[in-house]
Amino acid sequence: LSTVRSFWNSPVGPKTTHFWGPALNCLFVAQGLYEWNRPAEKISRDMQFILSLYSALFMRFALRVKPTNYFLFCVHLSNFTLQMNLLIKRLRYERAHKAEEIKPVTGASH
């Protein structure tokens, strides 16, 4: 009971934004897991890039804010890893299909 009370009243406990910010950011991780099996052609390259950048910036923030927010860091590390994997999946798809897009025009007369 004292452990729960201690966490409840801590500077990073549920009475603070240091707790609820990371808790709600877990939704980005859930989104990444939801997208995991999505076909590569349906993954948004721009969205995955922005979400990766966002998480990279907030990983640094989590370690610089006082008190240091390790929960926020872990959530953004997880999100960064997921979003980068989805971005890489999309970029590999684009590279593999780039050759198909550039087809020589045959039978054209000038």
Side-chain angles (χ1 to χ4, degrees):
L1 186 61
S2 67
T3 305
V4 173
R5 185 176 297 127
S6 175
F7 172 67
W8 183 262
N9 293 317
S10 78
V12 292
K15 291 167 99 180
T16 69
T17 58
H18 289 282
F19 175 81
W20 290 107
L24 293 173
N25 272 284
C26 287
L27 295 174
F28 287 123
V29 177
Q31 177 270 338
L33 291 171
Y34 178 76
E35 299 279 319
W36 191 257
N37 290 321
R38 179 174 272 218
E41 66 272 11
K42 294 191 177 200
I43 294 172
S44 170
R45 176 179 28 125
D46 296 339
M47 181 60 79
Q48 302 321 130
F49 174 76
I50 293 298
L51 287 170
S52 298
L53 181 63
Y54 166 78
S55 282
L57 291 171
F58 271 90
M59 279 191 292
R60 183 176 187 276
F61 171 80
L63 297 176
R64 309 254 332 176
V65 70
K66 299 295 178 207
T68 303
N69 196 330
Y70 294 107
F71 181 27
L72 183 64
F73 178 80
C74 290
V75 168
H76 281 294
L77 178 62
S78 300
N79 189 48
F80 178 79
T81 304
L82 276 167
Q83 303 303 338
M84 282 301 293
N85 275 298
L86 290 167
L87 178 59
I88 290 167
K89 181 178 178 180
R90 173 62 190 216
L91 293 174
R92 285 182 177 156
Y93 169 81
E94 288 179 6
R95 185 177 51 192
H97 289 82
K98 194 165 195 118
E100 294 175 8
E101 293 175 11
I102 306 171
K103 294 181 182 175
V105 178
T106 56
S109 58
H110 294 281

